[in-house]
Amino acid sequence: LYCSLKSLPNKPSHFVAVKRDQSTWSNELEVLLVVCGTKSVTDVITDLLCDTANYRGGFAHAGITESGQWLVKEHTDLLEQLRQITNKKTIKLTLVGHSLGAG
């Protein structure tokens, strides 16, 4: 559905996929967001942004937090369009990642 193999600092390479053969009777659309691990110099820059960021009453890795916020902004409209096109009530989003992508 969507694939970006290019990564920039705090903008990791990733892809979005829709599960095949979903039930037409289900009220939810199953979507997968896969974030790649560290594979380039720009990913290392994200890794090295070791400052902390406030997150949900605690602290998190600033580079990974910013990357996650960017992914949300990047795909919120796409996910909503998919939900509407498929006439589903909700989206079941599964997040998968390794190394940097697991943050």
Side-chain angles (χ1 to χ4, degrees):
L1 181 65
Y2 177 91
C3 181
S4 173
L5 298 177
K6 181 180 177 185
S7 60
L8 298 169
N10 300 327
K11 296 179 179 180
S13 56
H14 63 285
F15 69 87
V16 178
V18 175
K19 182 180 173 186
R20 287 185 177 188
D21 303 322
Q22 295 189 49
S23 168
T24 55
W25 305 107
S26 173
N27 285 328
E28 70 181 12
L29 176 66
E30 294 185 57
V31 178
L32 189 67
L33 173 59
V34 179
V35 183
C36 300
T38 303
K39 67 178 180 79
S40 68
V41 173
T42 56
D43 293 329
V44 172
I45 292 169
T46 300
D47 286 339
L48 293 175
L49 293 175
C50 293
D51 289 339
T52 58
N54 292 327
Y55 185 74
R56 295 187 171 197
F59 299 99
H61 183 284
I64 291 174
T65 301
E66 189 173 324
S67 295
Q69 291 169 340
W70 175 77
L71 287 167
V72 168
K73 290 177 188 173
E74 186 76 5
H75 295 297
T76 298
D77 289 343
L78 172 65
L79 294 174
E80 179 58 22
Q81 289 172 4
L82 281 172
R83 189 193 64 75
Q84 290 177 3
I85 290 168
T86 58
N87 202 28
K88 302 290 184 177
K89 290 186 179 180
T90 60
I91 290 179
K92 179 182 177 184
L93 182 63
T94 301
L95 306 173
V96 179
H98 169 75
S99 182
L100 173 65

